[in-house]
Amino acid sequence: MAKLRWGMIGGGEGSQIGPAHRLGALADGLFDFAAGALDHRPDVGRDYAQRLGIAADRAYGDWRDMLAGEKGRDDQIDLVTIATPNSTHFEIAKAFLEAGFNVLCEKPMTMTVEEGQEIVRVAESSGKICAVNYCYSAYPMVRQARAMVRAGDIGKVRLVVTNFSHGHHGDATDADNPRVRWRYDPAMAGVSGQFADCGIHALHMASFICDDEVKSLSADMASTISSRELEDDAMINFRMEGGTVGRLWTSSVAIGRQHGFDIQVFGETGGLRWASEQPNQLIYTPVGGRTQIIEKGEAGLHADTQRLSRVAIAHPEGFPLAVANIYCDLADAIRGEHRDGLPGAADGLRSIAAVHAAVASGREDGAWKDARPPMFR
Ligand code: NAI
């Protein structure tokens, strides 16, 4: 099967997420890295793209040049990844979708709910794929958790509790580090800091595993480092459409916590627990029974779990391979084979609607807000 052609915007040398995209997109031999506008500094981006093996005429200095250059080609890219800071996602995603390209956009998909709705509409009318990189949902044992919930293994879900709390922005003397600072700058990050940066992964994961959507929420948002305009800690209570009660804590000042993403789902007949720092194990407890550790790679797992697991039992499969799973599902989708579970523009929109609801709630001492985007109410 011919390889698909892939391009990336952002994700330049030294960026946080760029390497995970390159490892993920290229892991399975499904894509060639054909074009890129990798850096906000045109010369730096062109130079780095060529060092990564991109031909000189497709090593672009700016995403607009890349759009113009790729549009006219017979061998134009089949997919573009947008891995730039948040404030640029909307205009780049919209322009590429309108020009007929498939898009994988980093989260948060947009800064505002209106922009998010616009992306959903443009993706629909263009007939192109707009995926959003909720890559944690592509870990094999997360797929296993969802399959077990769907199969009724823990009964009706009563409660979901999730945390995405780390301590890597907890040093007040480092608050002006440029890699840290933009995340709390409304002009670059939007209305929310930590919730939009990490908390939305946890919220998406709750929806993904429970197979349900967030309906309403109440939030307490805090800037524990007072120079920050946006929150670095948030506690969100939420309710899902199906009645499930949700609790979410997200923080960037939880010193001592490393990656800090975990989720527990409690149903009428059992409970599940998954943590990103032990991604190969899913912990399952049936009501009245013993706690069991389900290992990636063991016999009898759900077909989707097996499909997205590459190496034998007990060998770690980490973050870049979860990202690679997103690219596998994208390659299938581009070739016309729908993969259930690939996060799309609707998921990106639901997240940004929840972010805005949380900020509004926080400003009103935790008043409950409708968390759904207007177009899904
Ligand atoms: P970063 O600040 O480390 O890197 C940003 C990169 O984008 C740099 O190489 C910069 O030169 C480039 N860039 C900026 N503006 C550009 C433009 N107009 N055109 C071309 N390149 C441009 O940021 P980081 O942490 O890599 O985040 C990028 C995006 O990825 C953010 O939206 C962030 O929320 C998301 N992200 C997602 C993660 C996930 O787990 N899905 C994890 C980390 C980040």
Coordinates of all heavy atoms in Angstrom, one line a residue, residues 326-364:
I326 N -3.1 7.1 17.2 CA -3.9 8.1 16.6 C -3.6 8.2 15.0 O -4.6 8.3 14.2 CB -3.7 9.5 17.2 CG1 -4.1 9.5 18.7 CG2 -4.3 10.7 16.4 CD1 -5.6 9.6 18.9
Y327 N -2.3 8.1 14.7 CA -2.0 8.2 13.3 C -2.4 6.9 12.5 O -2.8 7.0 11.4 CB -0.5 8.4 13.1 CG -0.1 9.9 13.3 CD1 0.3 10.4 14.5 CD2 -0.2 10.8 12.3 CE1 0.6 11.7 14.7 CE2 0.1 12.1 12.4 CZ 0.6 12.6 13.7 OH 0.9 13.9 13.8
C328 N -2.4 5.8 13.2 CA -2.9 4.5 12.6 C -4.4 4.7 12.2 O -4.8 4.4 11.1 CB -2.8 3.3 13.5 SG -1.2 2.7 13.7
D329 N -5.2 5.2 13.2 CA -6.6 5.4 13.0 C -6.9 6.4 11.9 O -7.8 6.3 11.1 CB -7.3 5.7 14.3 CG -7.5 4.5 15.2 OD1 -7.0 3.4 14.8 OD2 -8.0 4.6 16.3
L330 N -6.0 7.5 11.9 CA -6.1 8.5 10.9 C -5.8 7.9 9.5 O -6.5 8.2 8.5 CB -5.2 9.6 11.1 CG -5.7 10.8 12.0 CD1 -4.6 11.7 12.5 CD2 -6.7 11.6 11.2
A331 N -4.8 7.1 9.4 CA -4.5 6.5 8.1 C -5.6 5.7 7.6 O -6.0 5.8 6.4 CB -3.2 5.7 8.2
D332 N -6.2 4.9 8.5 CA -7.4 4.1 8.1 C -8.5 5.0 7.6 O -9.2 4.8 6.6 CB -7.9 3.2 9.2 CG -7.0 2.1 9.5 OD1 -6.1 1.7 8.6 OD2 -7.0 1.5 10.6
A333 N -8.8 6.1 8.4 CA -9.9 7.0 8.1 C -9.7 7.7 6.7 O -10.6 7.8 5.9 CB -10.0 8.0 9.2
I334 N -8.4 8.1 6.5 CA -8.1 8.8 5.2 C -8.4 7.8 4.0 O -8.8 8.2 3.0 CB -6.6 9.3 5.2 CG1 -6.5 10.4 6.2 CG2 -6.2 9.7 3.8 CD1 -5.0 10.8 6.5
R335 N -8.1 6.5 4.3 CA -8.4 5.5 3.2 C -9.8 5.0 3.3 O -10.1 4.1 2.5 CB -7.4 4.3 3.4 CG -6.0 4.7 3.2 CD -5.1 3.5 3.2 NE -3.8 3.8 2.6 CZ -2.6 3.8 3.3 NH1 -2.6 3.4 4.6 NH2 -1.5 4.1 2.7
G336 N -10.6 5.6 4.1 CA -12.1 5.3 4.0 C -12.6 4.3 5.0 O -13.8 3.9 5.0
E337 N -11.7 3.8 5.9 CA -12.1 2.9 6.9 C -12.3 3.6 8.3 O -11.3 3.9 8.9 CB -11.1 1.7 7.0 CG -11.6 0.6 7.8 CD -10.5 -0.6 7.9 OE1 -9.6 -0.5 7.1 OE2 -10.7 -1.4 8.8
H338 N -13.6 3.7 8.7 CA -13.9 4.5 9.9 C -13.4 3.7 11.1 O -13.6 2.5 11.2 CB -15.4 4.7 10.0 CG -15.8 5.3 11.3 ND1 -15.4 6.6 11.7 CD2 -16.4 4.7 12.4 CE1 -15.9 6.8 12.9 NE2 -16.5 5.7 13.4
R339 N -12.7 4.4 12.0 CA -12.3 3.8 13.3 C -13.0 4.4 14.4 O -12.8 5.6 14.7 CB -10.8 4.0 13.4 CG -9.9 3.1 12.5 CD -10.0 1.7 12.9 NE -9.2 0.8 12.1 CZ -9.3 -0.5 12.0 NH1 -10.3 -1.1 12.7 NH2 -8.6 -1.2 11.2
D340 N -13.8 3.7 15.1 CA -14.5 4.2 16.3 C -13.5 4.6 17.3 O -12.6 3.8 17.6 CB -15.4 3.0 16.8 CG -16.2 3.5 18.0 OD1 -16.6 4.7 18.0 OD2 -16.4 2.7 18.9
G341 N -13.6 5.8 17.8 CA -12.7 6.2 18.9 C -11.7 7.3 18.5 O -11.1 7.9 19.4
L342 N -11.6 7.5 17.2 CA -10.7 8.6 16.8 C -11.3 10.0 17.2 O -12.4 10.3 16.8 CB -10.5 8.6 15.3 CG -9.6 9.7 14.7 CD1 -8.2 9.5 15.2 CD2 -9.6 9.6 13.1
P343 N -10.6 10.7 18.1 CA -11.2 12.0 18.6 C -11.4 13.0 17.4 O -10.4 13.2 16.7 CB -10.3 12.5 19.6 CG -9.3 11.4 19.9 CD -9.3 10.5 18.7
G344 N -12.5 13.6 17.3 CA -12.8 14.5 16.2 C -13.1 15.9 16.6 O -13.0 16.3 17.8
A345 N -13.5 16.8 15.6 CA -13.8 18.2 15.9 C -14.9 18.3 16.9 O -14.8 19.3 17.7 CB -14.2 18.9 14.6
A346 N -15.8 17.4 17.0 CA -16.9 17.5 18.0 C -16.4 17.4 19.4 O -16.8 18.1 20.3 CB -18.0 16.5 17.7
D347 N -15.4 16.5 19.5 CA -14.7 16.4 20.9 C -13.9 17.7 21.2 O -14.0 18.1 22.4 CB -13.8 15.2 20.8 CG -14.5 13.9 20.6 OD1 -15.3 13.5 21.4 OD2 -14.3 13.3 19.5
G348 N -13.2 18.2 20.2 CA -12.5 19.5 20.4 C -13.4 20.6 20.8 O -13.1 21.4 21.7
L349 N -14.6 20.6 20.2 CA -15.6 21.7 20.5 C -16.2 21.5 21.9 O -16.3 22.4 22.7 CB -16.7 21.6 19.5 CG -18.0 22.5 19.8 CD1 -17.7 23.9 20.0 CD2 -19.0 22.3 18.7
R350 N -16.5 20.2 22.3 CA -17.1 20.0 23.6 C -16.1 20.4 24.7 O -16.5 21.0 25.7 CB -17.4 18.5 23.8 CG -18.6 18.0 23.1 CD -19.0 16.6 23.4 NE -20.1 16.1 22.5 CZ -21.4 16.4 22.7 NH1 -21.7 17.1 23.8 NH2 -22.3 15.9 21.9
S351 N -14.8 20.2 24.4 CA -13.8 20.6 25.4 C -13.7 22.1 25.6 O -13.7 22.6 26.8 CB -12.4 20.1 25.0 OG -12.3 18.7 24.9
I352 N -13.7 22.8 24.5 CA -13.6 24.2 24.7 C -14.9 24.8 25.3 O -14.8 25.8 26.0 CB -13.2 24.9 23.3 CG1 -12.5 26.3 23.6 CG2 -14.3 25.0 22.3 CD1 -11.3 26.3 24.4
A353 N -16.0 24.2 25.0 CA -17.3 24.7 25.7 C -17.2 24.4 27.2 O -17.6 25.3 28.0 CB -18.5 23.9 25.1
A354 N -16.6 23.3 27.6 CA -16.4 23.0 29.0 C -15.4 24.0 29.6 O -15.6 24.4 30.8 CB -16.0 21.6 29.2
V355 N -14.4 24.3 28.9 CA -13.4 25.3 29.4 C -14.1 26.6 29.7 O -13.9 27.2 30.8 CB -12.2 25.5 28.4 CG1 -11.4 26.7 28.7 CG2 -11.3 24.2 28.4
H356 N -14.9 27.1 28.8 CA -15.5 28.4 29.0 C -16.6 28.3 30.1 O -16.7 29.2 30.9 CB -16.1 28.9 27.6 CG -15.1 29.5 26.7 ND1 -14.9 30.9 26.7 CD2 -14.2 28.9 25.9 CE1 -13.9 31.1 25.8 NE2 -13.4 29.9 25.4
A357 N -17.3 27.2 30.2 CA -18.2 27.0 31.3 C -17.5 27.0 32.6 O -18.0 27.6 33.6 CB -19.0 25.7 31.1
A358 N -16.3 26.4 32.7 CA -15.6 26.3 33.9 C -15.1 27.7 34.3 O -15.2 28.1 35.5 CB -14.4 25.4 33.8
V359 N -14.6 28.5 33.4 CA -14.2 29.9 33.7 C -15.4 30.7 34.2 O -15.2 31.4 35.2 CB -13.5 30.5 32.4 CG1 -13.2 32.0 32.7 CG2 -12.2 29.7 32.1
A360 N -16.5 30.6 33.5 CA -17.7 31.3 33.9 C -18.1 30.9 35.3 O -18.5 31.7 36.2 CB -18.8 31.1 32.9
S361 N -18.1 29.6 35.6 CA -18.5 29.1 36.9 C -17.6 29.6 38.0 O -18.0 30.0 39.0 CB -18.5 27.6 36.8 OG -18.6 27.0 38.1
G362 N -16.3 29.5 37.7 CA -15.3 30.0 38.6 C -15.5 31.4 39.0 O -15.3 31.8 40.2
R363 N -15.9 32.2 38.1 CA -16.1 33.7 38.3 C -17.3 33.9 39.2 O -17.5 34.9 39.8 CB -16.2 34.4 37.0 CG -14.9 34.6 36.3 CD -15.0 35.5 35.1 NE -13.7 35.5 34.4 CZ -13.5 35.5 33.1 NH1 -14.6 35.4 32.3 NH2 -12.3 35.6 32.6
E364 N -18.2 32.9 39.2 CA -19.5 33.0 40.0 C -19.5 32.1 41.2 O -20.5 31.4 41.5 CB -20.7 32.8 39.1 CG -20.9 33.9 38.0 CD -22.0 33.5 37.1 OE1 -23.0 32.9 37.5 OE2 -21.9 33.8 35.9

